[in-house]
Amino acid sequence: MKNIIKGALLVLFAGSVAACNLDKYPSNAIPADEGFTTFQDAEEFRNAIYYMARASMTDILASNMQCEGINATLDYGNNYGLQYAWTYTDTESSVANIWTNDNGYIREINYFLAKCDELIATNANLPEGDSNKMSEKELKELDLYIGEAHFVRALLRRHLTMFYCKDYDPATAAEDWGIILNDGYDINVRLGRSKLDKTYEAINTDLDLARTAITNYYGNSDPTENYYFGPTAVKCLTAYIQLDMHDYPNAAATAASIVDGTKYALITDATSFASMWKNNAGSEIIFQFFASLDEGAVQYGEPFLYDPFGDPDNSQSLKPQYVPAQYLIDQYSNNGNDAWVDIRTSAYFPTRSCRIGTTAVTLKLFNKYPGNPEYDATAGLNSLANNVPLYRSADFVLLAAEAYYQAGDETNANKYLQKLREARIHANSTSAPEYTYTPYSGEELFSQIKMERLKEMFMESNRLADLKRWGDPMSRLGWTPQNESICVAIGMYLDIPADDYRFVWPIPQSEYTNNPAIKGQLNWK
């Protein structure tokens, strides 16, 4: 992993990725019909597939800004403003980027799978002793790479459904539009959209193939480095697909199997919890995308912690573009009981000196992506760059609670909600009583699960899909800002009903302009 391999790989479409290993992704590339003839080619391409997954799954800021919990400051400069105000259209870049990139990456993966089939067939006909014949070890590793490719294709296809499809309803999935199911890599082929049930059939087929290959390689143990997909990562995506498809008993069981036991234990102390976000290490992280100082990392923190002065001691002021709403911060107040403290509060919302316009003001800023010092190109100058966790155990504790509730099992729904809260909420002092969980029932139980999911997973790219799955509105009504005078009025108290058409993003104009097969299959037309 730490050797930088200089390699040349396929580029199927303009702007696509080239690959080497997870440390370095060179831009040189060769045509599809001239490359990919050896195991070494497959090995290099495997790392490009991880790069594609990271590029797609970390393109989340626009969708995060679309939801409640934040306010745009007077210095926001209209960054992510169309999503924040829900005024985006089919020509907006964020809307187009996810569609174009995900579909392009899927073509790359299709190429990889086709060439692996050719490589295996050619290898079978090579005589023993031929220098190009793969060893048993290489054949085993190639099977793993193929499984990983199927996993990422499933991941990308599900990612597309999150934005461009309605919530999966078993009663209407055979009529609702899904995504384009393309199993080839010819960039000139134009295909229409599948139905949503067929989309999920394809996702599950890929997941089955991934599960078999990854389990055959690793057994029941995950890889030592948590930036490779292992059996638990496959379970994570499986749980989400089962939840999407309203298969609540199986979703609950799968999520529970991830978080029961000690392997990915929830963090229970404030110092370790804050370190997980700053240093990208901790027991909760199941899978996170690779980053390094040489290759770079994702700068999620910039809209929230922008430092125009480059001042490591913050003696001058930060200029955030977005700040958390006071209403959201208040939800961490532990039901008004001052004897308890939530370890997330200090990690997520530290108080900092800010300057909005020319106004000096003290605000609680959003600090989930504070910048990992390992990725600072200049010592002491925060690049606000972090690894990005794709799966962590807290997510699946809450998924188990939701799925058990939907399956009619309130006892287990309470069990997993309690598990999360007891990890996060503790006595405020040695003399204070320890946190005590009181079980809920009925709609109040579901309401508490949903609120806990907002609090725990805030700004991790889940909220829009969660609201759509629940059939809930996106409403900032009553979400009092910390300081209304430093926030823009537009979008501050936006109220988007659950049936608003904008919960499903439009098919980008670039797609329907160039693809006649999609005519009549658009979301907003």
Side-chain angles (χ1 to χ4, degrees):
M1 286 298 303
K2 299 306 177 185
N3 295 320
I4 297 175
I5 301 170
K6 302 297 182 182
L9 284 181
L10 161 79
V11 169
L12 290 174
F13 61 99
S16 177
V17 299
C20 130
N21 79 5
L22 294 179
D23 290 341
K24 191 76 172 178
Y25 301 103
S27 59
N28 51 320
I30 56 179
D33 58 356
E34 296 179 18
F36 208 132
T37 59
T38 68
F39 171 77
Q40 286 69 34
D41 293 335
E43 192 171 34
E44 292 182 18
F45 207 119
R46 178 241 192 153
N47 293 290
I49 290 172
Y50 275 91
Y51 170 82
M52 295 174 209
R54 188 184 75 169
S56 175
M57 296 300 114
T58 58
D59 189 4
I60 68 170
L61 282 175
S63 64
N64 282 342
M65 303 310 185
Q66 197 172 338
C67 299
E68 67 277 292
I70 56 168
N71 298 116
T73 73
L74 297 174
D75 286 335
Y76 86 126
N78 204 34
N79 287 300
Y80 309 106
L82 297 180
Q83 261 75 24
Y84 178 72
W86 286 63
T87 56
Y88 55 90
T89 68
D90 57 11
T91 61
E92 200 270 322
S93 60
S94 294
V95 168
N97 286 346
I98 290 178
W99 177 273
T100 301
N101 291 340
D102 283 7
N103 280 295
Y105 297 149
I106 288 169
R107 281 199 302 272
E108 297 268 9
I109 290 169
N110 294 344
Y111 172 84
F112 173 80
L113 292 171
K115 290 300 178 181
C116 283
D117 285 345
E118 292 178 12
L119 186 58
I120 290 170
T122 300
N123 185 76
N125 293 321
L126 291 176
E128 294 297 331
D130 190 293
S131 60
N132 288 322
K133 192 171 182 68
M134 288 184 281
S135 67
E136 289 301 315
K137 180 177 182 293
E138 288 172 333
L139 284 168
K140 184 178 180 180
E141 289 183 359
L142 184 62
D143 187 59
L144 171 66
Y145 304 164
I146 292 169
E148 292 171 327
H150 281 290
F151 179 84
V152 174
R153 189 166 68 177
L155 189 69
L156 293 171
R157 284 172 167 170
R158 196 253 172 179
H159 194 236
L160 286 165
T161 69
M162 289 172 61
F163 295 101
Y164 303 99
C165 300
K166 295 179 181 179
D167 181 53
Y168 187 100
D169 182 343
T172 62
E175 287 78 43
D176 294 335
W177 288 116
I179 63 170
I180 294 173
L181 287 179
N182 183 6
D183 292 331
Y185 57 89
D186 185 344
I187 62 173
N188 296 309
V189 170
R190 298 291 183 264
L191 299 172
R193 297 171 73 179
S194 67
K195 295 299 186 177
L196 195 54
D197 62 339
K198 297 300 181 184
T199 292
Y200 273 85
E201 283 181 20
I203 291 171
N204 277 316
T205 297
D206 272 330
L207 261 180
D208 289 342
L209 292 167
R211 185 179 301 108
T212 298
I214 290 173
T215 303
N216 282 346
Y217 190 86
Y218 292 112
N220 294 320
S221 300
D222 283 329
T224 304
E225 297 165 312
N226 65 8
Y227 40 79
Y228 284 118
F229 297 120
T232 305
V234 177
K235 282 186 179 182
C236 291
L237 183 54
T238 300
Y240 262 114
I241 297 304
Q242 290 166 337
L243 186 70
D244 287 351
M245 299 182 72
H246 299 199
D247 183 4
Y248 300 124
N250 281 321
T254 302
S257 73
I258 294 167
V259 299
D260 287 347
T262 60
K263 173 63 175 175
Y264 296 107
L266 294 176
I267 293 172
T268 60
D269 69 280
T271 300
S272 298
F273 188 74
S275 178
M276 176 174 69
W277 296 107
K278 182 176 181 178
N279 302 309
N280 306 121
S283 59
E284 290 189 18
I285 299 173
I286 298 169
F287 175 88
Q288 65 183 350
F289 289 106
F290 181 83
S292 72
L293 178 59
D294 177 68
E295 190 267 348
V298 181
Q299 293 176 293
Y300 276 174
E302 191 163 325
F304 313 107
L305 300 167
Y306 176 55
D307 178 6
F309 305 105
D311 182 8
D313 298 322
N314 192 30
S315 57
Q316 302 188 66
S317 299
L318 302 182
K319 294 181 75 67
Q321 298 169 353
Y322 290 88
V323 294
Q326 185 62 47
Y327 180 87
L328 174 68
I329 297 169
D330 290 344
Q331 302 315 302
Y332 297 80
S333 63
N334 314 311
N335 300 320
N337 190 327
D338 292 336
W340 301 331
V341 61
D342 192 317
I343 65 173
R344 294 171 294 195
T345 307
S346 58
Y348 289 178
F349 308 117
T351 301
R352 305 290 292 273
S353 298
C354 302
R355 184 172 295 276
I356 308 299
T358 59
T359 303
V361 61
T362 299
L363 296 168
K364 290 185 181 296
L365 301 187
F366 180 61
N367 196 56
K368 187 177 270 189
Y369 307 109
N372 188 329
E374 290 187 10
Y375 308 140
D376 293 341
T378 302
L381 184 59
N382 191 345
S383 297
L384 294 175
N386 284 96
N387 295 72
V388 179
L390 179 65
Y391 297 133
R392 61 188 184 92
S393 54
D395 187 354
F396 296 93
V397 171
L398 290 167
L399 194 155
E402 178 181 343
Y404 275 121
Y405 173 83
Q406 296 285 31
D409 185 345
E410 292 191 359
T411 298
N412 272 313
N414 271 294
K415 171 186 172 182
Y416 287 95
L417 180 59
Q418 179 177 359
K419 182 182 180 77
L420 192 284
R421 285 193 173 168
E422 288 183 345
R424 300 299 190 239
I425 303 173
H426 300 283
N428 199 17
S429 67
T430 55
S431 61
E434 192 51 81
Y435 169 74
T436 303
Y437 177 83
T438 302
Y440 302 92
S441 62
E443 283 297 317
E444 178 62 16
L445 173 56
F446 195 26
S447 177
Q448 292 293 326
I449 291 169
K450 291 191 286 187
M451 177 53 73
E452 204 61 48
R453 187 161 179 81
L454 168 63
K455 291 161 60 179
E456 181 67 33
M457 305 301 295
F458 183 60
M459 287 289 160
E460 291 187 57
S461 185
N462 294 288
R463 186 63 177 172
L464 190 64
D466 287 348
L467 293 173
K468 188 165 61 171
R469 181 174 71 253
W470 299 330
D472 284 355
M474 193 301 296
S475 180
R476 299 184 189 130
L477 292 178
W479 287 67
T480 312
Q482 293 185 61
N483 185 330
E484 193 166 320
S485 69
I486 57 91
C487 297
V488 297
I490 184 171
M492 187 181 295
Y493 297 114
L494 195 64
D495 185 30
I496 306 296
D499 60 356
D500 191 281
Y501 66 95
R502 288 168 291 184
F503 271 99
V504 180
W505 282 12
I507 302 301
Q509 184 186 76
S510 56
E511 177 67 38
Y512 66 75
T513 299
N514 295 292
N515 182 5
I518 210 168
K519 183 179 180 180
Q521 302 175 357
L522 308 181
N523 291 336
W524 290 16
K525 303 291 184 180

Short mmCIF file of all heavy atoms in Angstrom, two decimals, residues 255-256 258-262 264-268 393-394 396-398 400-401 412-425 435 437:
data_model
loop_
_atom_site.label_atom_id
_atom_site.label_comp_id
_atom_site.label_asym_id
_atom_site.label_seq_id
_atom_site.Cartn_x
_atom_site.Cartn_y
_atom_site.Cartn_z
N ALA A 255 -28.19 -5.50 10.66
CA ALA A 255 -27.59 -4.40 11.41
C ALA A 255 -27.16 -4.85 12.80
O ALA A 255 -26.07 -4.50 13.28
CB ALA A 255 -28.57 -3.23 11.51
N ALA A 256 -28.00 -5.65 13.46
CA ALA A 256 -27.66 -6.14 14.80
C ALA A 256 -26.40 -7.00 14.76
O ALA A 256 -25.56 -6.94 15.67
CB ALA A 256 -28.83 -6.93 15.38
N ILE A 258 -23.91 -6.62 12.95
CA ILE A 258 -22.75 -5.75 12.80
C ILE A 258 -22.31 -5.18 14.14
O ILE A 258 -21.12 -5.06 14.43
CB ILE A 258 -23.07 -4.60 11.81
CG1 ILE A 258 -23.31 -5.15 10.40
CG2 ILE A 258 -21.95 -3.56 11.79
CD1 ILE A 258 -23.94 -4.14 9.44
N VAL A 259 -23.29 -4.81 14.98
CA VAL A 259 -22.97 -4.01 16.18
C VAL A 259 -23.03 -4.80 17.48
O VAL A 259 -22.61 -4.29 18.51
CB VAL A 259 -23.89 -2.78 16.27
CG1 VAL A 259 -23.69 -1.88 15.06
CG2 VAL A 259 -25.36 -3.19 16.38
N ASP A 260 -23.56 -6.01 17.46
CA ASP A 260 -23.53 -6.82 18.67
C ASP A 260 -22.10 -7.34 18.88
O ASP A 260 -21.41 -7.70 17.93
CB ASP A 260 -24.50 -8.00 18.56
CG ASP A 260 -25.95 -7.55 18.68
OD1 ASP A 260 -26.19 -6.40 19.09
OD2 ASP A 260 -26.85 -8.35 18.35
N GLY A 261 -21.66 -7.38 20.08
CA GLY A 261 -20.29 -7.80 20.35
C GLY A 261 -19.38 -6.59 20.51
O GLY A 261 -19.82 -5.44 20.59
N THR A 262 -18.09 -6.83 20.52
CA THR A 262 -17.11 -5.78 20.84
C THR A 262 -16.26 -5.35 19.66
O THR A 262 -15.43 -4.45 19.81
CB THR A 262 -16.18 -6.28 21.95
OG1 THR A 262 -15.49 -7.47 21.49
CG2 THR A 262 -16.95 -6.61 23.22
N TYR A 264 -16.71 -3.59 16.87
CA TYR A 264 -16.81 -2.17 16.50
C TYR A 264 -17.57 -1.43 17.60
O TYR A 264 -18.60 -0.80 17.36
CB TYR A 264 -17.49 -2.03 15.14
CG TYR A 264 -16.66 -2.64 14.02
CD1 TYR A 264 -17.04 -3.85 13.41
CD2 TYR A 264 -15.49 -2.04 13.60
CE1 TYR A 264 -16.27 -4.41 12.40
CE2 TYR A 264 -14.71 -2.60 12.60
CZ TYR A 264 -15.11 -3.78 12.01
OH TYR A 264 -14.33 -4.34 11.01
N ALA A 265 -17.03 -1.50 18.81
CA ALA A 265 -17.71 -0.95 19.98
C ALA A 265 -17.91 0.55 19.87
O ALA A 265 -17.04 1.28 19.38
CB ALA A 265 -16.90 -1.28 21.23
N LEU A 266 -19.05 1.01 20.35
CA LEU A 266 -19.32 2.44 20.40
C LEU A 266 -18.37 3.12 21.37
O LEU A 266 -18.05 2.59 22.43
CB LEU A 266 -20.76 2.70 20.84
CG LEU A 266 -21.87 2.23 19.89
CD1 LEU A 266 -23.24 2.47 20.53
CD2 LEU A 266 -21.77 2.93 18.54
N ILE A 267 -17.92 4.31 21.02
CA ILE A 267 -17.03 5.09 21.88
C ILE A 267 -17.86 5.74 22.99
O ILE A 267 -18.95 6.25 22.74
CB ILE A 267 -16.29 6.15 21.06
CG1 ILE A 267 -15.32 5.45 20.08
CG2 ILE A 267 -15.54 7.12 21.95
CD1 ILE A 267 -14.68 6.38 19.08
N THR A 268 -17.33 5.72 24.19
CA THR A 268 -18.11 6.20 25.34
C THR A 268 -17.49 7.39 26.06
O THR A 268 -18.09 7.89 27.02
CB THR A 268 -18.32 5.06 26.36
OG1 THR A 268 -17.04 4.61 26.81
CG2 THR A 268 -19.08 3.90 25.74
N SER A 393 -20.11 2.11 13.30
CA SER A 393 -21.08 1.26 13.99
C SER A 393 -22.29 2.03 14.50
O SER A 393 -23.40 1.47 14.55
CB SER A 393 -20.41 0.51 15.13
OG SER A 393 -19.73 1.38 16.00
N ALA A 394 -22.14 3.29 14.89
CA ALA A 394 -23.28 4.06 15.40
C ALA A 394 -24.41 4.11 14.39
O ALA A 394 -25.59 4.06 14.74
CB ALA A 394 -22.84 5.47 15.78
N PHE A 396 -25.32 1.84 12.37
CA PHE A 396 -26.05 0.58 12.29
C PHE A 396 -26.74 0.23 13.60
O PHE A 396 -27.69 -0.56 13.60
CB PHE A 396 -25.11 -0.51 11.77
CG PHE A 396 -24.69 -0.19 10.37
CD1 PHE A 396 -23.51 0.51 10.14
CD2 PHE A 396 -25.51 -0.48 9.30
CE1 PHE A 396 -23.15 0.88 8.85
CE2 PHE A 396 -25.15 -0.11 8.01
CZ PHE A 396 -23.98 0.58 7.78
N VAL A 397 -26.31 0.82 14.70
CA VAL A 397 -27.10 0.72 15.93
C VAL A 397 -28.44 1.41 15.70
O VAL A 397 -29.51 0.87 16.05
CB VAL A 397 -26.35 1.38 17.11
CG1 VAL A 397 -27.25 1.48 18.33
CG2 VAL A 397 -25.10 0.58 17.45
N LEU A 398 -28.41 2.59 15.08
CA LEU A 398 -29.64 3.32 14.81
C LEU A 398 -30.46 2.67 13.70
O LEU A 398 -31.70 2.69 13.73
CB LEU A 398 -29.32 4.77 14.47
CG LEU A 398 -28.81 5.59 15.65
CD1 LEU A 398 -28.21 6.91 15.19
CD2 LEU A 398 -29.92 5.83 16.67
N ALA A 400 -30.60 -0.53 13.20
CA ALA A 400 -31.26 -1.66 13.87
C ALA A 400 -32.48 -1.18 14.63
O ALA A 400 -33.55 -1.81 14.57
CB ALA A 400 -30.28 -2.35 14.81
N ALA A 401 -32.35 -0.06 15.34
CA ALA A 401 -33.49 0.48 16.09
C ALA A 401 -34.65 0.80 15.16
O ALA A 401 -35.81 0.45 15.44
CB ALA A 401 -33.06 1.73 16.87
N ASN A 412 -36.82 -4.51 20.98
CA ASN A 412 -35.48 -4.42 20.40
C ASN A 412 -35.20 -3.02 19.85
O ASN A 412 -34.05 -2.58 19.85
CB ASN A 412 -35.29 -5.47 19.31
CG ASN A 412 -34.79 -6.78 19.88
OD1 ASN A 412 -33.85 -6.81 20.67
ND2 ASN A 412 -35.42 -7.89 19.50
N ALA A 413 -36.22 -2.33 19.38
CA ALA A 413 -36.01 -0.94 18.94
C ALA A 413 -35.50 -0.10 20.11
O ALA A 413 -34.55 0.68 19.97
CB ALA A 413 -37.31 -0.36 18.38
N ASN A 414 -36.11 -0.26 21.28
CA ASN A 414 -35.65 0.44 22.48
C ASN A 414 -34.25 -0.01 22.88
O ASN A 414 -33.42 0.79 23.31
CB ASN A 414 -36.61 0.21 23.63
CG ASN A 414 -37.73 1.22 23.70
OD1 ASN A 414 -37.50 2.40 23.93
ND2 ASN A 414 -38.96 0.75 23.46
N LYS A 415 -33.97 -1.30 22.73
CA LYS A 415 -32.66 -1.84 23.10
C LYS A 415 -31.54 -1.12 22.38
O LYS A 415 -30.52 -0.74 22.98
CB LYS A 415 -32.62 -3.34 22.81
CG LYS A 415 -31.25 -3.97 22.95
CD LYS A 415 -31.26 -5.42 22.49
CE LYS A 415 -29.85 -6.01 22.44
NZ LYS A 415 -29.86 -7.41 21.94
N TYR A 416 -31.71 -0.92 21.06
CA TYR A 416 -30.63 -0.33 20.28
C TYR A 416 -30.59 1.19 20.42
O TYR A 416 -29.50 1.79 20.38
CB TYR A 416 -30.70 -0.78 18.83
CG TYR A 416 -30.26 -2.23 18.70
CD1 TYR A 416 -31.19 -3.26 18.72
CD2 TYR A 416 -28.92 -2.55 18.66
CE1 TYR A 416 -30.79 -4.59 18.67
CE2 TYR A 416 -28.50 -3.87 18.61
CZ TYR A 416 -29.44 -4.89 18.62
OH TYR A 416 -29.03 -6.20 18.58
N LEU A 417 -31.74 1.83 20.61
CA LEU A 417 -31.72 3.25 20.92
C LEU A 417 -31.03 3.49 22.26
O LEU A 417 -30.22 4.42 22.41
CB LEU A 417 -33.15 3.81 20.95
CG LEU A 417 -33.29 5.30 21.27
CD1 LEU A 417 -32.53 6.16 20.26
CD2 LEU A 417 -34.77 5.70 21.30
N GLN A 418 -31.32 2.65 23.22
CA GLN A 418 -30.67 2.74 24.53
C GLN A 418 -29.17 2.53 24.40
O GLN A 418 -28.36 3.22 25.04
CB GLN A 418 -31.27 1.70 25.49
CG GLN A 418 -30.64 1.69 26.87
CD GLN A 418 -31.32 0.70 27.81
OE1 GLN A 418 -32.28 0.02 27.43
NE2 GLN A 418 -30.83 0.60 29.03
N LYS A 419 -28.77 1.57 23.59
CA LYS A 419 -27.34 1.28 23.39
C LYS A 419 -26.60 2.52 22.91
O LYS A 419 -25.51 2.84 23.41
CB LYS A 419 -27.20 0.15 22.36
CG LYS A 419 -25.77 -0.31 22.07
CD LYS A 419 -25.79 -1.39 20.99
CE LYS A 419 -24.39 -1.89 20.65
NZ LYS A 419 -23.88 -2.82 21.66
N LEU A 420 -27.18 3.25 21.96
CA LEU A 420 -26.54 4.46 21.43
C LEU A 420 -26.51 5.55 22.49
O LEU A 420 -25.46 6.17 22.75
CB LEU A 420 -27.28 4.93 20.18
CG LEU A 420 -26.66 6.00 19.27
CD1 LEU A 420 -26.77 7.40 19.85
CD2 LEU A 420 -25.19 5.68 18.96
N ARG A 421 -27.63 5.77 23.14
CA ARG A 421 -27.69 6.88 24.11
C ARG A 421 -26.79 6.64 25.32
O ARG A 421 -26.17 7.56 25.83
CB ARG A 421 -29.13 7.11 24.54
CG ARG A 421 -29.95 7.81 23.46
CD ARG A 421 -31.25 8.33 23.98
NE ARG A 421 -31.92 9.14 22.96
CZ ARG A 421 -33.18 9.54 23.04
NH1 ARG A 421 -33.92 9.19 24.09
NH2 ARG A 421 -33.70 10.29 22.09
N GLU A 422 -26.71 5.41 25.78
CA GLU A 422 -25.86 5.13 26.94
C GLU A 422 -24.38 5.27 26.60
O GLU A 422 -23.56 5.52 27.50
CB GLU A 422 -26.17 3.75 27.50
CG GLU A 422 -27.52 3.69 28.22
CD GLU A 422 -27.81 2.34 28.85
OE1 GLU A 422 -27.11 1.36 28.49
OE2 GLU A 422 -28.73 2.27 29.69
N ALA A 423 -24.04 5.12 25.32
CA ALA A 423 -22.66 5.36 24.92
C ALA A 423 -22.35 6.86 24.87
O ALA A 423 -21.21 7.27 25.14
CB ALA A 423 -22.39 4.74 23.55
N ARG A 424 -23.34 7.67 24.55
CA ARG A 424 -23.10 9.10 24.30
C ARG A 424 -23.39 9.99 25.51
O ARG A 424 -22.83 11.08 25.62
CB ARG A 424 -23.96 9.57 23.13
CG ARG A 424 -23.70 8.86 21.81
CD ARG A 424 -22.27 9.04 21.33
NE ARG A 424 -22.08 8.56 19.97
CZ ARG A 424 -21.22 7.63 19.62
NH1 ARG A 424 -20.45 7.06 20.54
NH2 ARG A 424 -21.09 7.27 18.36
N ILE A 425 -24.28 9.59 26.40
CA ILE A 425 -24.73 10.45 27.48
C ILE A 425 -24.23 9.90 28.81
O ILE A 425 -24.41 8.72 29.11
CB ILE A 425 -26.26 10.58 27.48
CG1 ILE A 425 -26.76 11.10 26.12
CG2 ILE A 425 -26.72 11.52 28.59
CD1 ILE A 425 -28.27 11.09 25.97
N TYR A 435 -26.61 8.48 33.58
CA TYR A 435 -27.76 8.58 32.68
C TYR A 435 -28.65 7.34 32.80
O TYR A 435 -28.16 6.21 32.86
CB TYR A 435 -27.27 8.73 31.24
CG TYR A 435 -28.36 8.58 30.21
CD1 TYR A 435 -29.30 9.57 30.00
CD2 TYR A 435 -28.45 7.41 29.44
CE1 TYR A 435 -30.31 9.42 29.06
CE2 TYR A 435 -29.45 7.25 28.50
CZ TYR A 435 -30.38 8.26 28.31
OH TYR A 435 -31.38 8.11 27.39
N TYR A 437 -31.92 5.49 30.92
CA TYR A 437 -32.78 5.45 29.73
C TYR A 437 -34.18 5.01 30.12
O TYR A 437 -34.36 4.03 30.85
CB TYR A 437 -32.20 4.47 28.70
CG TYR A 437 -33.05 4.31 27.45
CD1 TYR A 437 -32.95 5.21 26.41
CD2 TYR A 437 -33.95 3.25 27.33
CE1 TYR A 437 -33.72 5.08 25.26
CE2 TYR A 437 -34.72 3.10 26.19
CZ TYR A 437 -34.61 4.02 25.15
OH TYR A 437 -35.38 3.88 24.03
#
